Amino acid sequence: MKKLLILIGLLLSTMSMRAQDSAQPLESIYQKLSFTLFNKVAKDINENAIFSPFSAQIALSMLENGAAGNTLSEIQEALGTTGYDMEQVNAYNQMLTKQLTYRPPFEWNPQWGQEEECREAYDATYPKCEIANGLWTRYGVTMHDGFLNDLRTYYDSETDQVDFGLQEDIDKINQWVSDKTHQLIPSIINEPNSDMWLLLANALYFKGSWTIAFSETDTHPEDFHLIDGTTVNVDMMQSSDSYKTSTTQDFKTVTLPYGRSNFSMTIFLPIDAQTFPPLTFDAWQTAINNSEHRNIQLQMPKFSIEGQYELNEVLKEIGIHEAFQMKADFSKMTDKRGGIDRVFQFAKIVVDEKGTEAAAVTAIEATESIPPEADEAFVINHPFYFTIENNVTHTVLFMGRMAQVQKSNNSPSGIMDKPVMQPTTRHQIYDLYGRKLQQIPQKGVYIQDGKKYVR
């Protein structure tokens, strides 16, 4: 208990920390950035989305440790950390990680029952949040000791040298991803690439049991109304109990706690079922601050969403440009010249009667060549947003949107989005100068499998 109190004290001290010329604490900066990133990666309101702003923030913070000059200034401006030195950001991220992942030690006494039953009760009481970081560099690429020490000290990052051109080493990285996400995300790299010299990754895993569990026998097919006016039959969970609810200008909200309520999911259901307004920081903050307990008859669909996001253009939109160019300055990381060429995230969430399981991996990749730039009813029966937050640090771990559904046919898996988690093999892509590209350009001319394409 003393250790926990000390940890919480250090965290609160860090959370209240402000830079001398910054008016906002890092807690608020991270929260606002969460909604900025989500609304940029999930622009199409007709598509489902699951995204982890926290995973992206940690991955970019690690990259920030290696940046200097204008490259560093752009990253700081985009992330909102201008005015904070790197040590302050790192210390905050370290304390945040410790708080989010803390669980009291499991203790078992034979008098309490079978060990397996006691462990199940422990897992139901204390949601699992795991955070892992990794850095892989190509053999022969020298990284500066200060950069490596910061990643190991503040981010507990694993570091290793590999041959990105060997399938065996690619398999090792993908196995790390699978292990850290408990197989929710099996892999992130399509195929060997001898041009790659750096991969920086954050993996986030969450599993929590509802404080108020749904009974599987109460799950029945019900109507879910889409924005286009069509109706789909889905597996609808039901519960009659006391939940925190609120009403904002655009949404009715309900908050479902996990375990001992350190974590929760908040559903944002549009008041007007025919519209889907953006989910803003102000709406989220209003819901969090003004929720009150009410007895409601809750109906909520089971669902599963998978997502994959290329973040290059999103990061450029918020001001990170030089990091993607050959003139990028990552001199605090390595003497090797050049910038990063790809930032991407895989994410997945499964919601059912027992609770929620979710994972995300954000990766930053660099190669030799850079591509071109009861008393009342709360029926969740039309598209909605959701967030998963830690109620102590108010960190937004995951954000999502359920816009489209498929007919469930009483399947135990409920609403399912189309699978996208298994990367497919990419055929080599070249520009007109014969330079290998890592992805199909958004605009321009490229060569693939001997054919010329124009976009």
Side-chain angles (χ1 to χ4, degrees), residues 40 71 114 189 202 204 240 261 270 277 365 376 383:
K40 287 186 178 296
T71 302
Q114 297 293 325
I189 303 180
N202 167 268
L204 171 64
S240 181
S261 302
E365 179 183 298
E376 61 180 87

Side-chain angles (χ1 to χ4, degrees), residues 23 25 139 142 146 148 236 350 362 445:
Y139 286 115
T142 302
L148 294 177
M236 193 75 78
V350 179
T362 303
V445 182

Side-chain angles (χ1 to χ4, degrees), residues 389-447:
E389 53 265 340
N390 177 268
N391 298 325
V392 178
T393 65
H394 303 297
T395 301
V396 182
L397 297 177
F398 294 91
M399 301 179 68
R401 176 176 59 223
M402 175 55 69
Q404 295 288 339
V405 297
Q406 295 179 355
K407 188 174 181 179
S408 68
N409 293 324
N410 295 320
S411 67
S413 56
I415 300 173
M416 299 295 293
D417 200 15
K418 60 183 180 181
V420 298
M421 302 310 298
Q422 290 285 359
T424 56
T425 300
R426 296 178 298 178
H427 297 287
Q428 295 297 336
I429 305 165
Y430 300 88
D431 63 16
L432 294 180
Y433 298 97
R435 296 175 299 193
K436 186 189 297 182
L437 304 178
Q438 299 310 308
Q439 60 188 32
I440 295 175
Q442 291 190 345
K443 293 183 179 181
V445 182
Y446 64 96
I447 307 296

